[in-house]
Amino acid sequence: MRSICILGSTGSIGENTLDVVARHPDLYRVCALTANTQIEKLAKQCFKFHPDIAVVKDAELAKQLKNLLGDLKTEVLYGSSGLIAAVMHESVNTVMAAIVGAAGLLPTLQAAKAGKRILLANKEALVMAGPIFMDAVEKSGAELLPIDSEHNAIYQCLPQSQSSNKLNYPAYGVEELLLTASGGPFLRRAIETLDSVTPDEACAHPNWLMGRKISVDSATMMNKGLELIEAMWLFRVPENKIQIVIHPQSVIHSLVRYIDGSLLAQLGEPDMRTPIAYGLGWPHRIDSGVKKLDMMTLKDLNFMAADVNRYPAILLAREAARLKGTSPAILNAANEVALEYFLQKSIKYTQIIQVVDQVLQTVASQTATSLESILDADQLARTKAVNILQGLRS
Ligand code: NAD
Ligand code: MG
């Protein structure tokens, strides 16, 4: 029996995880659920899954959640200590890391240190703290399974003979990784008109239904940039061995090229329940509820290079990936702050990446030897981004 903690259970990945879990009551038990502020949704999940622990943002929300739960025997905790307690609960052996952004780093890292099975959706945690995170995984013997659809696809296309946390692919004849990207909602929109797109337009992803942050990241393709850095750490390949390919249909979720001329791909419906079920069931396969991909209905599968004039975020992410150290954390922090300003309609869409660029060029990269150095860089980049953004607003 796998006993699960879902960090970010009220989000898109969180809800999809509960959907898969509910199909297998004999295999999984929900031990802890965490949310930020959506307490009504969290309360409904608690009534359905009876977790031991539920975590919310602060004491006031915890009080409100307790009232909603009435007699239910779920302990309500809050804040970062609550998230850590949820991960560390003695019966939890599997942690779905599905908090969005840097907020997920500490509890996810804690799960790595504690040697749990980690289903990693929260790519920002790995982008920020790649070497420290992977080091923790190696030392504790934690199982790290990628949930991001591209990384999950690559994982499935790599040799399965190794344990999940000892990835040494050059030895297996891997030449390069190919990350596919849909191109988002603005793939064909005239570049000169991108200045005027609204948050709702940017969040209207053609193929995937996701949270607002990752949806905007998919439009700018910063998502693919973050995924490139995520793949570097997960699979221990250098930046120049990862290609980004636009594939608007989102049927092929990513590929691995081998030195013998083979190109292995994973295909499926664009539904996150497939990678989630893979992570939950590994090394076995379980039913995910995802409808079968009907090859007969596939008309065209198209592929093209990403135009960096349309998607300058890719250049910035590659730069941060090459610089390593605290650069990926700086890139990520600046992006989170600028994207939030865009969602609040305080800046234009095109200014998101301009701000990230300015922050990356002005906040010096340091060697990332400790978690503190990463958190310092994150804070510095946020402060710098806010300064620039305030200037743009006035
Ligand atoms: P979402 O916005 O739908 O959900 C985010 C969850 O995190 C919610 O439960 C929210 O309560 C919680 N949360 C937000 N801020 C928090 C904070 N400060 N402290 C504690 N909890 C907080 O996001 P999502 O689309 O589910 O994405 C979650 C993660 O998974 C992201 O890192 C994203 O990049 C990754 N991911 C998502 C998808 C997808 O299809 N949605 C695909 C691949 C990867
Ligand atoms: Mg992805």
Side-chain angles (χ1 to χ4, degrees), residues 101-320:
L105 174 59
L106 295 182
T108 308
L109 186 60
Q110 189 64 40
K113 286 183 181 158
K116 313 257 172 172
R117 172 179 293 194
I118 303 162
L119 310 185
L120 185 73
N122 179 207
K123 68 193 82 184
E124 295 92 344
L126 197 56
V127 167
M128 293 173 74
I132 290 169
F133 193 90
M134 295 309 285
D135 200 41
V137 166
E138 203 161 308
K139 281 203 181 108
S140 70
E143 290 171 342
L144 180 59
L145 291 155
I147 299 303
D148 215 344
S149 59
E150 297 76 4
H151 306 72
N152 188 269
I154 288 169
Y155 193 86
Q156 294 196 44
C157 294
L158 285 168
Q160 296 296 298
S161 54
Q162 302 178 74
S163 77
S164 68
N165 55 331
K166 291 228 167 58
L167 309 163
N168 175 21
Y169 293 112
Y172 284 80
V174 172
E175 190 173 314
E176 63 170 348
L177 308 180
L178 292 92
L179 287 176
T180 53
S182 69
F186 307 136
L187 176 61
R188 295 192 175 84
R189 185 169 170 139
I191 295 183
E192 321 77 74
T193 68
L194 287 176
D195 257 354
S196 62
V197 307
T198 65
D200 283 345
E201 285 175 317
C203 287
H205 196 280
N207 306 332
W208 299 91
L209 196 60
M210 309 180 288
R212 282 172 82 77
K213 194 254 174 188
I214 185 175
S215 296
V216 178
D217 279 343
S218 299
T220 62
M221 274 183 79
M222 180 56 86
N223 183 49
K224 215 48 56 179
L226 298 176
E227 289 182 358
L228 180 138
I229 300 172
E230 182 186 14
M232 259 175 58
W233 299 129
L234 268 177
F235 305 119
R236 295 173 204 273
V237 294
E239 169 269 331
N240 62 1
K241 294 280 181 201
I242 307 171
Q243 218 192 110
I244 293 171
V245 181
I246 292 191
H247 164 46
Q249 293 83 8
S250 299
V251 169
I252 295 181
H253 298 309
S254 277
L255 312 91
V256 177
R257 188 190 303 283
Y258 288 87
I259 51 173
D260 62 0
S262 299
L263 194 54
L264 265 56
Q266 186 255 358
L267 285 70
E269 286 288 332
D271 187 324
M272 289 307 292
R273 290 176 302 172
T274 295
I276 290 168
Y278 183 89
L280 284 170
W282 189 88
H284 307 289
R285 299 269 182 173
I286 58 167
D287 172 35
S288 63
V290 175
K291 82 170 189 218
K292 283 195 188 102
L293 179 68
D294 181 357
M295 303 286 289
M296 302 310 155
T297 63
L298 294 180
K299 289 193 193 76
D300 297 312
L301 293 182
N302 303 118
F303 306 94
M304 60 192 101
D307 171 5
V308 291
N309 293 319
R310 183 179 295 278
Y311 305 110
I314 293 176
L315 292 179
L316 297 184
R318 284 204 182 271
E319 185 185 336

Side-chain angles (χ1 to χ4, degrees), residues 358-387:
Q358 283 185 48
V359 174
L360 199 62
Q361 306 316 327
T362 48
V363 180
S365 181
Q366 311 282 336
T367 47
T369 42
S370 64
L371 182 61
E372 288 66 37
S373 58
I374 287 162
L375 296 177
D376 284 351
D378 173 89
Q379 209 43 60
L380 216 59
R382 282 172 200 271
T383 308
K384 183 73 197 170
V386 169
N387 284 340

